[in-house]
C-alpha cells in the first residue's frame, strides 16, 4: 500500500495558526479540561480483552468535542445545535507566528472561552516562526519565561485548569518543533515547560503529549518526556491517504487502508493506545476529521471513515475526541452531505439517548 499521509502538507499557517490578532480570538480547535477518566486503562486491538463481547460504547457526552474554526464560542454553539447536544471539549490553538501570542495570551480573545461548560484543550507552540530559537535553547531553560507568562495569563483569566497540548504533532516535519532530529532536546524542553507552568500560583494544568499523526517511519516515544510530565497521550487522525486515486477511490480503499495504516500501521492508533496503556495514561484524539481535498488524496464524503472512528472511539478508553470542523473537514458547510447526515446519528443526540449501544456502527448503517 502507499504510505498514509495524515497531515502530509505544511499546515501551520493555514490550518493551525488560528489566532486572530486584536479583539477576535487567537485560538481554534475544540477539546478541554483535564477531568475525564484520568488514569483509566486503555484497551487496544492487541489486548485479548478487547472484544466486541466485553466492550461497551460510551455516550459521546462524556468525551465528544469540536474544533470550531475561526468562529469562536459562536462556532461551538452552532456545532452543538447541529449535533443536538452540548460538546464536552473544545480544541483551540495559540498562534505560532510570534512569541507575543504566548507572552500576552490575555490580549487575543481566549478569554471568550473562559468559564464555559466544556473543557479546553489548548494547543501551545514550542517555537514560533518569527524567531530563531531552537529546541536546544528550550532544553537549556532559556525560553521558560515565555511559558511563565502564558501560565500567569491563563490563571488570571480563570483558565488555570485547561489541558495544554504542548508542541503538538511532534513527529511531523511540517511543525517548527519537529522532534525527530533532536528527540532528547524536545523531551527536555517539554520538562522545562511543564515544570515552569506548574510552578505558577493557581495553576492546575494537564498536559497532552501529541506524539503521532498516523503511520510513520519514526518512533515518537524517543521524544517522550516521562510519565511525571504527561497526563494524556494522543494522536490526530484524518481521512487522507496516497492510496486514494481515481482508480482506487476512497469508498473502495478506506477499509483496507484503515486496518493496515490507521489502525495497525507503525505508530498509528493501536500503537498509541498501547503506549498510553503501558504508561497508565488515558488516550485522546484532539483532532480528527474527513478531508475534502481537490488533489484526490482526501476521503471526501466518506461515511465509512466516520463508522470506523465511531467503532474505535466508543470501544476504547478515549478521554476526548474532537472533530475538526473547519477547513477541508467542515461538516456544516454543505460540502459533505452524507457524512453531515450521519455524524449526529453516531456522535450526537440520537446516540446519547441510547438508541445505539455498540460496539460498532448501528446495523442499519453498516
Amino acid at each position: 500500500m502507499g504510505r498514509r499521509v495524515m497531515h502530509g502538507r505544511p499546515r501551520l499557517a493555514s490550518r493551525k495558526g488560528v489566532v486572530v490578532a486584536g479583539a477576535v480570538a487567537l485560538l481554534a480547535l475544540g477539546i478541554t479540561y483535564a477531568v475525564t477518566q484520568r488514569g483509566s486503562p486503555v484497551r487496544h486491538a492487541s489486548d485479548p480483552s478487547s472484544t466486541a463481547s466485553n466492550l461497551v460504547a460510551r455516550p459521546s457526552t462524556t468525551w465528544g468535542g469540536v474544533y470550531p474554526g475561526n468562529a469562536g464560542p459562536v462556532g461551538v454553539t452552532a456545532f452543538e445545535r447541529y449535533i443536538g447536544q452540548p460538546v464536552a471539549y473544545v480544541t483551540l490553538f495559540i498562534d505560532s507566528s510570534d512569541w507575543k501570542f504566548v507572552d500576552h495570551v490575555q490580549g487575543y480573545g481566549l478569554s471568550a472561552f473562559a468559564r464555559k461548560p466544556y473543557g479546553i484543550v489548548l494547543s501551545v507552540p514550542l517555537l514560533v516562526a518569527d524567531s530563531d530559537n531552537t529546541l536546544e535553547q528550550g532544553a537549556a531553560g532559556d525560553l521558560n519565561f515565555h511559558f511563565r507568562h502564558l501560565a500567569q495569563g491563563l490563571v488570571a483569566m480563570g483558565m488555570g485548569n485547561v489541558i495544554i497540548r504542548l508542541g503538538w504533532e511532534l513527529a511531523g516535519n511540517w511543525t517548527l518543533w519537529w522532534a525527530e532530529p533532536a528527540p532528547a532536546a524536545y523531551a527536555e524542553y517539554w520538562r522545562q515547560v511543564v515544570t515552569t507552568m506548574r510552578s505558577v500560583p493557581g495553576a492546575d494544568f494537564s498536559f497532552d503529549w501529541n506524539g503521532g499523526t498516523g503511520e510513520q517511519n519514526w518512533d515518537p516515544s524517543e521524544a517522550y518526556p516521562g510519565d511525571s510530565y504527561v497526563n494524556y497521550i494522543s494522536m490526530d487522525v484524518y481521512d487522507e491517504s496516497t492510496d486514494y486515486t481515481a482508480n482506487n477511490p476512497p469508498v473502495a480503499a478506506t477499509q483496507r487502508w484503515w486496518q493496515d495504516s490507521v489502525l495497525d500501521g507503525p505508530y498509528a492508533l493501536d500503537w498509541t493506545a498501547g503506549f498510553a496503556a503501558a504508561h497508565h495514561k488515558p488516550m485522546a484524539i484532539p483532532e480528527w476529521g474527513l478531508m475534502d481535498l481537490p488533489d484526490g488524496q482526501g476521503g471526501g464524503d466518506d461515511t465509512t471513515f466516520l463508522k470506523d472512528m465511531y467503532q474505535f472511539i466508543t470501544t476504547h478508553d478515549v478521554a476526548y475526541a474532537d472533530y475538526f470542523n473547519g477547513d477541508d473537514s467542515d461538516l456544516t458547510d454543505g460540502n459533505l452531505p452524507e457524512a453531515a447526515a450521519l455524524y449526529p446519528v453516531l456522535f450526537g443526540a440520537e446516540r446519547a439517548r441510547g438508541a445505539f449501544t455498540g460496539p460498532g456502527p448501528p446495523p442499519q448503517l453498516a
Side-chain angles (χ1 to χ4, degrees):
M1 293 185 67
R3 187 181 181 282
R4 168 70 171 160
V5 185
M6 298 176 178
H7 290 198
R9 299 168 290 134
R11 293 187 293 185
L12 271 174
S14 59
R15 188 177 193 100
K16 302 300 176 63
V18 191
V19 177
V20 181
V24 188
L26 80 109
L27 315 161
L29 201 16
I31 288 179
T32 187
Y33 306 119
V35 296
T36 307
Q37 301 185 9
R38 185 176 301 162
S40 301
V42 177
R43 292 190 176 98
H44 51 101
S46 61
D47 185 339
S49 67
S50 296
T51 64
S53 63
N54 60 24
L55 291 179
V56 178
R58 293 180 296 121
S60 57
T61 49
T62 66
W63 48 259
V66 68
Y67 161 71
N70 291 319
V74 173
V76 176
T77 301
F79 193 79
E80 290 176 328
R81 286 198 301 266
Y82 157 60
I83 64 174
Q85 67 181 23
V87 299
Y89 303 93
V90 172
T91 295
L92 303 172
F93 293 92
I94 288 182
D95 196 331
S96 59
S97 64
D98 195 292
W99 281 120
K100 68 181 181 182
F101 297 113
V102 176
D103 292 335
H104 307 293
V105 67
Q106 292 167 278
Y108 296 97
L110 180 59
S111 60
F113 289 92
R115 299 179 179 86
K116 295 293 185 182
Y118 41 77
I120 299 297
V121 175
L122 183 60
S123 308
V124 174
L126 279 171
L127 298 172
V128 299
D130 190 22
S131 167
D132 58 0
N133 293 139
T134 64
L135 291 176
E136 288 77 10
Q137 287 177 314
D142 296 345
L143 305 178
N144 286 354
F145 67 97
H146 292 298
F147 299 94
R148 185 174 298 107
H149 291 161
L150 173 64
Q152 290 168 341
L154 290 172
V155 169
M157 289 189 290
M159 302 182 76
N161 61 345
V162 301
I163 298 172
I164 303 294
R165 188 167 71 129
L166 186 63
W168 67 95
E169 297 183 359
L170 66 91
N173 62 6
W174 54 88
T175 68
L176 297 167
W177 45 84
W178 180 32
E180 183 174 354
Y186 181 98
E188 177 56 30
Y189 187 9
W190 176 289
R191 291 188 285 267
Q192 291 279 347
V193 172
V194 171
T195 301
T196 297
M197 295 189 70
R198 284 176 174 170
S199 72
V200 170
D204 187 25
F205 302 112
S206 296
F207 294 86
D208 178 332
W209 185 80
N210 192 216
T213 57
E215 183 181 32
Q216 55 202 35
N217 298 320
W218 173 70
D219 183 351
S221 68
E222 294 180 22
Y224 187 66
D227 290 347
S228 298
Y229 300 90
V230 173
N231 299 98
Y232 299 93
I233 291 172
S234 71
M235 170 184 158
D236 297 343
V237 185
Y238 286 92
D239 190 8
E240 180 182 359
S241 172
T242 53
D243 294 331
Y244 298 167
T245 65
N247 295 323
N248 192 25
V251 172
T254 292
Q255 205 58 53
R256 180 164 53 93
W257 157 76
W258 171 270
Q259 187 67 42
D260 293 348
S261 295
V262 184
L263 201 61
D264 296 335
Y267 314 112
L269 273 174
D270 270 349
W271 179 88
T272 303
F275 187 73
H279 290 268
H280 308 289
K281 307 293 181 183
M283 181 184 174
I285 306 176
E287 298 180 42
W288 73 275
L290 298 163
M291 292 296 284
D292 184 21
L293 298 175
D295 62 6
Q297 292 185 10
D301 200 8
D302 183 2
T303 55
T304 299
F305 177 75
L306 291 187
K307 296 173 190 177
D308 286 335
M309 288 298 292
Y310 171 93
Q311 168 88 23
F312 184 88
I313 293 169
T314 62
T315 57
H316 291 70
D317 187 10
V318 176
Y320 44 86
D322 293 6
Y323 188 85
F324 198 99
N325 198 51
D327 299 344
D328 305 312
S329 305
D330 199 323
L331 287 173
T332 53
D333 64 3
N335 290 326
L336 303 168
E338 291 189 20
L342 178 60
Y343 183 92
V345 175
L346 294 179
F347 298 100
E350 291 185 54
R351 185 174 184 306
R353 285 195 295 268
F356 312 120
T357 58
Q364 68 270 32
L365 299 173

